[in-house]
């Protein structure tokens, strides 16, 4: 694993600064844990007052050790932490964990101390965990570098917690349940290393299959969400968030916790709400069995528990499987009952254990079943231990997951052990078992969603922002925080939202505009007050009367921001009123949030607003509409209105991505005419001091970089279209790679294959633009009716150090030796420089002479790969 935090989770040497022999002291407890855990690396106690501690040679300073150490644990008093960090450097210490924290009389003093410590660590070039960190546990290598953590079993789950108390309690809870961990890390104050970097590190860790997070404060939202999205693609990530009752403004339109939930859903993680649920998720993920579908069979020896499980499944939208005819016949023979043999299955209380196990076996053998929950109630004819052994034997013969709830056996370890022997976790109650299953299915559904291929969509057009930037500058000069009606429509129309309009200052101008616009028209005073009366005119002869009436209203009201103009806006001739409002609010952590709230009276149901983090495409917009709707399976909008609302939502997303100075947007009144949307009223809250910066730092998720779209001419005059790749390019990418010759594919991927798998297609097209970029060269088809085609792709993926990136480029065989790779690489290099990367690196097969010629012409340095004689390492400094 190549990551700069590797010394934290896989150290070969540990220095304990502040080691002590004084019983009960922090330095003594940590040292005892280090020495008693079986750590196979070197341990160096550091304390200037001792020559030896607990039989270990002690060193007065870190420098006295005479060699670099991977991990330094700082257990000194708070006043000495700064001095210890000053003595370090990036070459002498890999990562430092600060366990101590100031016992400051007030929060201000504590924050000042933390800022000072962070500054010292930055000057020293040492990455820091803490302060107030519990430490790190790595059971696989016998490392327990903590002050109070109980012994952790080795396993393949990683736990990252901001609270040392929660981490300790979870370990204490996990051991009796047989839950093991690859790594346990407590972040503490998080003045340096945060969740994002640790997630990236654990993503590369071959010893970790799943990740549990306990979060109080996510920190850098962009880094957090980006790392979550990357990790959740390959490993299940379960998040427990605490503090929702005390954070944010209780009267806010959108609760901060709801925004956090939307971010977790977008990242593909599984969110739990309680500590018990986190433990349940850990237990089921530790098994490593993921169902292929979401169809559940419930088998019980009691009707009541079966019904409770079925109710819980319904509440959590878990599907009950429909058995095949063969399974129904098998169950009927087992139960000898004339009643219906559907799902859930009740094999009756007097049924022997063998028949309960046989019923589970029948359900698992059914092709319509993906997972089984088995329930047991103690009966004289079916003792708990015998039933557990029989179920375990059945579970071992199948690959499908089985969950159990053995009611009344919570304190019977022998029952627990019997079930565990078959890989069956016992959740003790029907509701707990189904709840745990819902977490597993949520992860599976997230993975399935990642593999969905969005249908092809038209390429987004970069908006012309020159006029909008001039408006922002004028607002800043005037120190205004609201837009007039005309300014609001100008911003919306720049992104294709709403219908045609004109701002006119005189009646002759209004008459001219009326000839260009489509009737009916709504006339409004061009002022910041959106509540002033408006005039609807259906024919041109009504214009004079409406004009003079609005002039009278404006003269009387003297509204703020009145420009002296009247706004003439196209209105729907008939149309369908929208029973919903679209809003944009700005969250303190995650930036812009789009909300969709149906009108309770118009729709006949009341729901909290549905939320989405922009950017959103058409699929995500459609999902948002479904989330905002009523009961499952019911449509609250007509198909045409749904299409129109999807269009509005995606365009609002583009607006907030491009305009960080728009802090709030209210579209409370919309009408739809067919698939065309009319914005009757729009309110903006703005902060014109906020200008668009490179990299879209105001967004939690990097949007599609429309600014990189453009055309380029090859040396023969052929014009190619260059743009970043999109999720909607899945079929184009599949056709491109499939059309490469065997040699071209081998030169690009270093192994031989024919077609991209669905996961590869998703990985190549669903790009996180915050950490990678893929530029495609698109050739226009020779025939107008034909589809465009990729002729080249160049991409880079940033390394964990965020200063370098690995690149690759490949060109369609028919387009090779025409300069396509050169133009792609030059554009890619320019993008890497603007991102702030310091170098591009790559690996080229030695036999790929044309690629070596290309990189040499671009200024790359070429060196033999010391680990593989068939490869060359190439590097370009981006100075």
């Amino acid at each position: 694993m190549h990551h700069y935090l590797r010394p934290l989770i896989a150290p070969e040497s540990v220095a304990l600064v502040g080691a002590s022999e004084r019983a009960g002291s922090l330095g003594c407890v940590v040292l005892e844990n280090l020495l008693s855990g079986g750590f196979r690396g070197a341990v160096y106690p550091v304390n200037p007052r001792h020559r030896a501690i607990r039989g270990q040679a002690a060193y007065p300073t870190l420098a006295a050790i005479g060699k670099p150490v991977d991990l330094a644990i700082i257990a000194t008093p708070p006043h000495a932490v700064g001095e210890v960090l000053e003595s370090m450097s990036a070459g002498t210490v890999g990562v430092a964990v600060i366990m101590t924290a100031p016992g400051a009389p007030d929060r201000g003093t504590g924050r000042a101390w933390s800022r000072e410590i962070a500054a010292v660590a930055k000057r020293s070039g040492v990455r820091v965990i803490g302060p107030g960190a519990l430490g790190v546990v790595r059971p696989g290598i016998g490392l327990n570098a903590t002050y109070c953590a109980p012994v952790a079993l080795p396993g393949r789950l990683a736990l990252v917690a901001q609270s040392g108390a929660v981490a300790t309690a979870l370990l204490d809870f996990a051991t009796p349940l047989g839950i093991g961990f690859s790594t346990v890390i407590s972040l503490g104050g998080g003045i340096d290393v945060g969740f994002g970097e640790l997630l990236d590190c654990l993503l590369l860790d071959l010893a970790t299959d799943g990740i549990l997070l306990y979060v109080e404060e996510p920190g850098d939202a962009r880094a957090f969400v980006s790392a979550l999205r990357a990790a959740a693609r390959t490993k299940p990530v379960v998040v427990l968030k605490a503090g929702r009752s005390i954070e944010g403004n209780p009267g806010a339109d959108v609760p901060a916790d709801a925004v956090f939930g939307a971010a977790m859903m977008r990242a593909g993680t599984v969110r739990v709400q309680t500590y018990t649920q986190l433990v349940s998720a850990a237990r089921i993920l530790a098994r490593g069995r993921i169902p292929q579908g979401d169809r559940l069979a419930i088998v019980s020896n009691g009707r009541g528990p079966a019904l409770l499980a079925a109710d819980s499944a319904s509440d959590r939208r878990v599907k009950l499987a429909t058995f095949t005819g063969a399974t129904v016949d098998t169950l009927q023979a087992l139960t000898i009952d004339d009643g219906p043999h559907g799902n859930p299955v009740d094999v009756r209380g007097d049924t022997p254990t063998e028949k309960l196990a046989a019923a589970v076996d029948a359900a698992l053998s059914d092709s319509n079943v993906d997972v089984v929950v088995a329930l047991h109630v103690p009966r004289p004819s079916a003792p708990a231990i015998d039933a557990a052994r029989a179920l375990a034997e059945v579970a071992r013969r199948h690959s499908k997951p089985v969950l159990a709830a053995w009611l009344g056996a919570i304190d019977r370890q022998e029952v627990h052990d019997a079930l565990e022997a078959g890989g069956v976790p016992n959740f003790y109650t029907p509701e707990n078992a189904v709840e745990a299953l819902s977490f597993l299915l949520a992860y599976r559904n997230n993975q399935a969603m990642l593999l969905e291929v969005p249908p092809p969509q038209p390429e987004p057009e970069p908006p012309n922002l020159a006029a909008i930037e001039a408006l922002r500058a004028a607002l800043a000069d005037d120190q205004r925080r609201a837009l007039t009606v005309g300014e609001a429509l100008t911003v919306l129309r720049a992104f294709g939202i709403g219908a045609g309009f004109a701002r006119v200052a005189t009646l002759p101008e209004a008459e001219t505009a009326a000839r260009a616009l489509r009737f009916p028209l709504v006339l409004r005073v061009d002022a910041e007050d959106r509540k002033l009366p408006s005039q609807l005119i259906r024919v041109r002869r009504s214009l004079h009367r409406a004009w003079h009436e609005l002039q009278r209203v404006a003269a009387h009201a003297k509204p703020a921001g009145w420009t002296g103009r009247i706004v003439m806006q196209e209105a729907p001739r008939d149309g369908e009123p929208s029973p919903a409002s679209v809003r944009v609010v700005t969250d303190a952590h995650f930036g812009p949030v789009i909300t969709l709230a149906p009108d309770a009276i118009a729709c006949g149901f009341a729901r909290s607003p549905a939320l989405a983090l922009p950017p959103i495409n058409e699929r995500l917009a459609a999902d948002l509409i479904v989330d905002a709707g009523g009961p499952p399976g019911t449509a609250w909008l007509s198909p045409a209105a749904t299409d129109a609302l999807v269009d509005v939502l995606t365009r609002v997303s583009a607006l907030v991505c491009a305009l960080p100075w728009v802090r709030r947007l209210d579209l409370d009144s919309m009408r739809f005419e067919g698939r065309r949307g009319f914005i009757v009223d729009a309110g903006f809250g703005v902060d014109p001091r906020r200008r668009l910066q490179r990299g879209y730092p105001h967004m939690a998720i990097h949007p599609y970089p429309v600014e990189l779209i453009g055309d380029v001419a090859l040396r023969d005059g052929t014009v190619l279209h260059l743009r970043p790749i999109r999720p909607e390019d899945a079929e184009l990418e599949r056709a491109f790679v499939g059309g490469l010759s065997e040699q071209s594919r081998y030169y690009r991927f270093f192994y031989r294959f024919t077609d991209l798998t669905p996961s590869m297609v998703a990985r190549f097209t669903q790009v996180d633009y915050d950490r990678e970029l893929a530029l495609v060269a698109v050739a226009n088809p020779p025939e107008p009716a034909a589809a465009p085609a990729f002729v080249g792709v160049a991409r880079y993926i940033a390394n964990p150090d965020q200063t370098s990136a690995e690149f690759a480029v490949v060109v369609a065989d028919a387009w090779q030796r025409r300069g396509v790779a050169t133009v792609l690489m030059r554009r890619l290099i320019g993008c890497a420089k603007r991102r702030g990367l310091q170098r591009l690196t790559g690996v080229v097969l030695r036999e790929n002479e044309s690629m070596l010629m290309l990189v040499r012409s671009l200024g790359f340095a070429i060196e033999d790969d010391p680990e593989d004689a068939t490869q060359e390492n190439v590097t370009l400094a981006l100075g």
Side-chain angles (χ1 to χ4, degrees):
M1 181 188 72
H2 300 286
H3 194 281
Y4 56 88
L5 291 180
R6 182 183 180 279
L8 175 68
I9 66 171
E12 297 179 0
S13 57
V14 179
L16 174 59
V17 185
S20 172
E21 287 189 315
R22 183 165 56 86
S25 67
L26 179 62
C28 180
V29 173
V30 176
L31 183 60
E32 183 175 347
N33 285 342
L34 278 170
L35 297 178
S36 63
F39 177 53
R40 295 187 286 270
V43 177
Y44 302 108
V46 177
N47 192 318
R49 299 180 181 179
H50 301 277
R51 293 185 178 180
I53 302 175
R54 294 179 59 84
Q56 295 281 113
Y59 299 84
T61 63
L62 280 168
I65 297 173
K67 62 182 71 174
V69 295
D70 289 333
L71 179 62
I73 306 296
I74 302 176
T76 64
H79 65 81
V81 172
E83 182 180 348
V84 173
L85 289 173
E86 290 279 12
S87 69
M88 297 180 181
S89 67
T92 60
V93 173
V95 181
V97 174
I98 304 175
M99 290 186 169
T100 49
D106 59 85
R107 296 181 66 182
T109 303
R111 288 173 178 170
W113 180 88
S114 295
R115 286 193 298 269
E116 179 183 350
I117 294 303
V120 173
K122 187 174 182 179
R123 289 197 301 269
S124 300
V126 176
R127 303 309 307 273
V128 169
I129 303 288
L134 172 69
V136 58
V137 180
R138 185 78 166 180
I141 59 174
L143 177 67
N144 182 0
T146 69
Y147 54 82
C148 67
V151 175
L153 297 177
R156 303 195 63 81
L157 291 178
L159 170 65
V160 180
Q162 277 184 292
S163 165
V166 168
T168 301
L170 187 60
L171 290 180
D172 200 38
F173 209 130
T175 299
L177 295 174
I179 302 173
F181 294 90
S182 64
T183 308
V184 179
I185 299 173
S186 159
L187 277 178
I191 62 173
D192 181 21
V193 175
F195 281 109
E197 293 171 286
L198 286 173
L199 282 166
D200 285 338
C201 180
L202 293 170
L203 172 61
L204 299 176
D205 182 24
L206 297 179
T208 297
D209 290 340
I211 304 170
L212 308 177
L213 300 181
Y214 170 79
V215 180
E216 294 175 1
E217 165 58 56
D220 184 336
R222 171 72 71 86
F224 182 50
V225 174
S226 179
L228 277 175
R229 294 175 73 195
R233 283 185 175 275
T234 56
K235 301 180 180 183
V237 181
V238 182
V239 181
L240 172 61
K241 172 74 165 63
R244 60 181 179 269
S245 62
I246 61 174
E247 66 183 0
N249 179 6
D253 291 340
V254 180
D257 187 66
V259 177
F260 183 86
M264 296 304 96
M265 182 176 296
R266 184 67 181 274
T269 65
V270 177
R271 188 184 181 191
V272 297
Q273 298 290 343
T274 68
Y275 176 83
T276 303
Q277 290 175 347
L278 185 65
V279 173
S280 296
R283 293 188 64 201
I284 197 166
L285 292 176
R287 297 298 179 279
R289 287 188 180 182
I290 307 299
Q292 297 302 304
D294 57 359
R295 298 165 299 179
L296 166 66
I298 301 170
V299 181
S300 174
N301 70 338
R303 177 175 172 78
L307 293 177
L308 289 173
D311 290 345
S312 182
S314 176
D315 293 341
R316 298 180 178 279
R317 299 187 180 183
V318 176
K319 297 178 184 177
L320 291 185
T322 300
F323 296 136
T324 64
T327 302
V328 171
D329 292 342
T330 301
L331 293 173
Q332 186 170 6
L334 285 171
T335 58
I336 318 176
D337 188 344
D338 293 333
H341 294 87
N343 191 8
V345 178
D346 174 17
V347 297
R348 302 174 63 91
D350 55 358
T351 299
T353 57
E354 295 80 6
K355 289 194 174 182
L356 175 64
V360 172
D361 187 49
L364 288 170
S365 301
D366 193 316
S367 59
N368 288 348
V369 174
D370 300 303
V371 59
V372 170
V373 168
L375 311 174
H376 178 268
V377 180
R379 306 281 190 180
S381 60
I385 185 63
D386 293 343
R389 289 170 180 159
L391 178 65
E393 178 62 29
V394 169
R396 277 193 290 267
R397 297 199 302 265
H398 292 271
S399 60
K400 297 176 183 178
V402 179
L403 288 71
W406 253 230
L407 285 72
I410 193 168
D411 58 349
R412 297 187 61 181
Q413 186 64 35
E414 71 276 13
V415 171
H416 172 82
D417 292 342
L419 291 169
E420 289 289 332
V424 180
N426 181 15
F427 292 95
Y428 307 111
T429 72
E431 297 86 353
N432 285 348
V434 174
E435 181 181 69
L437 172 63
S438 70
F439 303 143
L440 191 63
L441 295 180
Y443 169 69
R444 180 206 161 273
N445 292 337
N446 290 341
Q447 296 304 299
M449 186 177 296
L450 289 175
L451 297 181
E452 286 185 8
V453 176
Q457 299 292 335
E459 180 180 309
E461 296 183 7
N464 183 357
L465 297 181
I468 305 303
E469 174 57 21
L471 171 60
R472 184 207 62 79
L475 292 170
D477 291 341
D478 296 339
Q479 298 183 354
R480 291 170 52 201
R481 295 301 180 97
L483 304 185
T484 68
V485 170
E487 290 168 341
L489 294 177
T490 299
V491 173
L492 293 175
R493 284 302 300 159
F495 293 87
I497 303 172
F501 78 100
R503 301 168 74 190
V504 295
T506 65
L507 186 55
E509 288 181 6
E511 292 171 337
T512 301
R515 287 190 287 271
L517 296 171
R518 192 204 74 168
F519 279 80
L521 299 174
V522 174
L523 274 62
R524 303 175 65 188
V525 175
D526 191 13
E528 294 177 7
D529 188 350
R530 298 156 50 205
K531 303 302 182 184
L532 291 174
S534 60
Q535 294 286 318
L536 174 65
I537 61 173
R538 298 187 178 277
V539 293
R540 189 170 290 113
R541 63 175 177 268
S542 303
L543 177 60
H544 284 233
R545 178 192 56 77
W547 172 274
H548 290 298
E549 177 60 21
L550 289 182
Q551 290 289 344
R552 184 192 65 79
V553 168
H556 176 74
K558 297 182 174 59
W562 184 35
T563 64
R565 297 178 179 179
I566 299 297
V567 174
M568 304 172 63
Q569 181 183 3
E570 291 179 352
R573 292 191 173 98
D574 187 7
E576 176 183 348
S578 169
S581 60
V582 175
R583 289 191 172 90
V584 174
V585 297
T586 301
D587 181 75
H589 289 295
F590 294 97
V593 181
I594 298 174
T595 77
L596 177 63
D599 182 88
I601 297 177
C603 296
F605 59 86
R607 292 282 300 272
S608 298
L611 313 180
L613 290 185
I616 60 174
N617 57 16
E618 290 191 359
R619 191 196 75 184
L620 292 173
D623 289 345
L624 182 63
I625 294 172
V626 172
D627 291 342
T634 61
W636 59 286
L637 289 173
S638 69
T642 298
D643 290 344
L645 185 53
V646 164
D647 183 66
V648 169
L649 289 168
T650 55
R651 293 179 183 277
V652 166
S653 171
L655 185 155
V656 298
C657 290
L659 305 182
W661 51 275
V662 173
R663 308 292 287 168
R664 184 182 180 92
L665 172 61
D666 297 315
L667 302 180
D668 292 326
S669 182
M670 295 179 288
R671 294 185 71 88
F672 300 129
E673 191 175 88
R675 286 174 168 80
R676 187 183 185 192
F678 291 81
I679 307 302
V680 180
D681 187 29
F684 280 80
V686 301
D687 182 357
R689 298 169 299 178
R690 298 170 56 90
R691 304 183 63 174
L692 181 62
Q693 299 178 28
R694 182 178 300 149
Y696 303 87
H698 67 293
M699 306 288 296
I701 301 173
H702 196 302
Y704 182 79
V706 293
E707 68 276 9
L708 300 182
I709 297 175
D711 294 334
V712 64
L714 302 181
R715 53 178 175 261
D716 63 3
T718 303
V719 176
L720 295 178
H721 189 58
L722 263 61
R723 60 172 176 81
I725 204 166
R726 301 183 295 148
E728 292 82 2
D729 291 328
E731 291 307 318
L732 288 174
E733 174 72 2
R734 192 193 309 275
F736 170 69
V737 175
L740 294 173
S741 66
E742 183 178 350
Q743 183 186 62
S744 293
R745 278 197 299 270
Y746 179 67
Y747 281 173
R748 165 61 180 88
F749 297 100
F750 289 34
Y751 66 97
R752 301 189 186 280
F753 66 96
T754 303
D755 297 314
L756 294 176
T757 65
S759 61
M760 293 170 71
V761 172
R763 177 65 191 85
F764 291 153
T765 58
Q766 297 178 21
V767 171
D768 182 350
Y769 304 106
D770 190 54
R771 55 178 63 203
E772 58 185 302
L773 177 65
L775 295 176
V776 296
V778 185
N780 291 321
E783 301 295 333
F790 288 175
V791 299
V793 180
R795 71 177 67 228
Y796 71 69
I797 300 177
N799 292 316
D801 61 11
Q802 298 298 310
T803 63
S804 64
E806 186 173 353
F807 82 95
V809 61
V810 62
V811 175
D813 290 76
W815 287 78
Q816 291 176 8
R817 297 177 179 82
R818 296 179 62 180
V820 177
T822 300
V823 297
L824 278 170
M825 282 301 299
R826 285 176 176 166
R827 186 68 60 89
L828 190 75
I829 290 168
C831 292
K833 288 181 177 179
R834 287 190 293 274
R835 188 191 181 281
L837 295 173
Q838 298 176 12
R839 62 189 179 280
L840 284 179
T841 64
V843 178
V844 181
L845 290 171
R846 183 168 291 178
E847 63 183 273
N848 191 352
E849 296 179 357
S850 59
M851 184 64 180
L852 291 173
M853 289 178 58
L854 169 66
V855 296
R856 189 176 289 111
S857 70
L858 293 171
F860 281 77
I862 303 176
E863 296 180 346
D864 293 341
D865 188 332
E867 299 179 358
D868 191 332
T870 67
Q871 299 178 168
E872 300 279 4
N873 294 329
V874 300
T875 303
L876 177 66
L878 302 176

